[in-house]
Amino acid sequence: MTQTQLAEIIGAAGWETSEYSERKELMSDLIHYNEQFEKIVDIIESAKERAYRKVNEELILMYRDVGEYISRQSENAEYGDAFVQKLADFFAANYPDLKGFNRRGLYRMKQFYELYKDNEKVSPLVTQLSWTNHLKIMSACKSMEERIFYMNMCIKERLSKRELERQIDSGYYERYMLSRKPLAPAIEEFRKATGNVFLDKYVLDFLDVPETVSERDLQKSIIRNLKNFILEIGKDFTFIGEEYRVQVGKHDYYIDLLFYHRGLSCLVAFELKIGEFKPEYVGKINLYLETLDREVKKENENPSVGVILCASKDDEVVEFALSRSLSPTMVSEYNLKLIDKKLLQNKLKEYIELVGTSSDEE
């Protein structure tokens, strides 16, 4: 734009050149100060976050200490189990406004202490979770391994109470453990390289789609429910785009969903399939990954990863299809309804027993 054209625009707006300069300078000052003020907001928010963590830490330690006191007194023959009820009655009569110290709440504190008192692995974790998340884990999990798993997930993914409930109800722990079963060398190599980030089964019960759905509608529903989808696949995923265009020669290709994984420092391409896995899908995802690595990936990033998400799969066909694939690719199933958690628990139990039997034979 020439100076004459700029002058004409300023004149049409009814500004004098000097007035325009003053307004421009004022806007520049405002932008500068806004940036400075945002830094102060960041300081305030960081302080609030540290204060919240400290308050939560002291709260959890208080519940643990109260639980320890109750546990020790309950062992005393003089008090026994009646001690909890007498203590609850005392709080109700003398401190009626103090919430959480009824009979049920006091038993939970006792349970909290007794569950974790001798576990060194848990000690550094307990103060990093909210009390509501602890209550859900204690009531829903059957083994210490499962409790520790969800504790670590809460810390890493910063799960809210509702998000934690969803993961437990969908059998995330069982699905994760079953995804670690030994498979073909090519798949094992992929798992090792990606740190077991990807699951063998994903539950997409939050999608508002019928059982018979087109791939396009499945994709659109995932975009509409992106927050829940990222909760299911992991919060380290950052969404980049849908129908992401890549060009090879004179041809355009479109990746269904493209993400970036912060932990793995790589691009992740999701290919959605509404039917059973077919071997030819591997060739297509290989093309996508090679193109991403050549044209999109930055020098400091790791090679791109592919996930073929199918309604069903034959593990033997998957093994054969991936055995000579050089690209890091995972073939996973999706369910549009919650999987029966009891079924998952039984499958995990069978797998653990099988592993135990194999170990004994060796």
Side-chain angles (χ1 to χ4, degrees):
M1 182 182 292
T2 65
Q3 292 292 328
T4 304
Q5 289 173 322
L6 182 59
E8 288 174 356
I9 293 172
I10 294 170
W15 300 344
E16 296 293 337
T17 305
S18 59
E19 184 181 355
Y20 169 75
S21 299
E22 290 174 3
R23 286 174 181 265
K24 185 178 179 182
E25 186 176 345
L26 177 60
M27 289 300 294
S28 178
D29 287 343
L30 285 173
I31 292 171
H32 172 72
Y33 281 119
N34 282 345
E35 291 175 351
Q36 295 297 317
F37 297 159
E38 285 296 330
K39 291 179 181 178
I40 297 175
V41 173
D42 290 341
I43 293 171
I44 295 170
E45 291 299 325
S46 296
K48 285 167 64 177
E49 178 67 21
R50 291 196 301 273
Y52 169 78
R53 288 200 299 267
K54 188 62 181 175
V55 169
N56 182 73
E57 179 182 336
E58 291 298 328
L59 192 65
I60 298 302
L61 292 176
M62 178 194 73
Y63 288 141
R64 185 201 62 186
D65 291 345
V66 171
E68 180 181 6
Y69 182 81
I70 294 171
S71 179
R72 294 187 186 283
Q73 291 300 321
S74 297
E75 292 172 358
N76 191 321
E78 183 182 347
Y79 298 109
D81 293 337
F83 180 78
V84 175
Q85 185 60 58
K86 290 178 180 178
L87 184 58
D89 293 341
F90 169 81
F91 277 113
N94 297 279
Y95 301 95
D97 295 330
L98 202 57
K99 304 298 181 185
F101 288 84
N102 54 18
R103 186 174 184 273
R104 185 181 180 186
L106 293 170
Y107 263 118
R108 284 172 168 173
M109 294 174 206
K110 177 175 178 287
Q111 179 192 14
F112 179 68
Y113 165 72
E114 291 174 348
L115 268 176
Y116 303 130
K117 63 179 180 179
D118 298 321
N119 196 311
E120 294 181 358
K121 290 183 179 179
V122 171
S123 296
L125 303 178
V126 290
T127 57
Q128 299 182 60
L129 273 69
S130 68
W131 183 240
T132 53
N133 280 0
H134 273 303
L135 294 179
K136 179 63 182 176
I137 289 172
M138 286 193 298
S139 64
C141 299
K142 295 186 175 183
S143 68
M144 187 59 68
E145 290 77 11
E146 185 179 1
R147 294 185 194 103
I148 293 174
F149 174 87
Y150 282 117
M151 282 186 190
N152 282 311
M153 176 177 270
C154 283
I155 295 167
K156 181 184 176 184
E157 306 273 338
R158 299 172 69 106
L159 298 182
S160 66
K161 177 189 174 185
R162 181 175 296 180
E163 290 172 337
L164 173 62
E165 286 175 346
R166 193 269 166 190
Q167 299 300 63
I168 292 176
D169 293 343
S170 71
Y172 199 98
Y173 167 73
E174 289 83 2
R175 289 187 285 127
Y176 177 84
M177 296 302 292
L178 288 169
S179 293
R180 301 179 66 184
K181 288 193 299 183
L183 293 172
I187 302 174
E188 286 299 303
E189 190 66 30
F190 170 81
R191 286 179 176 175
K192 185 178 179 181
T194 57
N196 287 311
V197 165
F198 300 94
L199 299 185
D200 189 56
K201 292 183 185 292
Y202 289 101
V203 177
L204 310 182
D205 59 302
F206 48 83
L207 300 182
D208 186 21
V209 293
E211 287 292 333
T212 53
V213 59
S214 68
E215 288 175 4
R216 183 64 176 164
D217 287 341
L218 179 65
Q219 179 180 320
K220 287 296 181 185
S221 186
I222 288 174
I223 297 302
R224 288 196 301 271
N225 297 274
L226 193 57
K227 182 179 179 182
N228 289 325
F229 185 71
I230 289 177
L231 174 64
E232 173 65 9
I233 63 175
K235 287 190 175 181
D236 264 354
F237 282 92
T238 301
F239 181 62
I240 294 177
E242 61 172 319
E243 292 295 309
Y244 189 89
R245 186 173 70 90
V246 291
Q247 192 171 31
V248 180
K250 297 179 180 179
H251 300 277
D252 289 336
Y253 298 93
Y254 297 88
I255 300 171
D256 288 340
L257 301 169
L258 184 63
F259 291 84
Y260 183 81
H261 193 280
R262 292 179 298 168
L264 299 177
S265 297
C266 70
L267 295 164
V268 181
F270 276 78
E271 184 72 2
L272 306 175
K273 298 298 177 183
I274 59 172
E276 187 178 16
F277 168 78
K278 295 179 181 179
E280 52 263 37
Y281 297 159
V282 176
K284 191 175 183 182
I285 200 77
N286 283 345
L287 175 68
Y288 291 165
L289 298 181
E290 184 65 26
T291 309
L292 288 172
D293 284 348
R294 291 193 190 190
E295 306 294 337
V296 183
K297 181 179 81 71
K298 296 180 180 178
E299 288 185 8
N300 62 323
E301 294 174 349
N302 292 316
S304 303
V305 170
V307 178
I308 303 173
L309 197 55
C310 304
S312 63
K313 63 186 176 77
D314 183 317
D315 287 334
E316 192 169 358
V317 174
V318 171
E319 179 184 337
F320 274 67
L322 295 180
S323 61
R324 300 202 175 205
S325 175
L326 298 178
S327 300
T329 301
M330 178 74 181
V331 178
S332 300
E333 285 183 347
Y334 68 82
N335 285 77
L336 295 176
K337 293 182 180 179
L338 284 176
I339 305 172
D340 186 346
K341 192 172 180 181
K342 205 165 195 65
L343 177 64
L344 288 171
Q345 289 172 340
N346 288 337
K347 282 187 175 181
L348 180 58
K349 184 180 178 182
E350 289 172 6
Y351 168 60
I352 292 172
E353 289 175 352
L354 182 63
V355 172
T357 303
S358 299
S359 300
D360 291 340
E361 290 176 354
E362 291 175 4

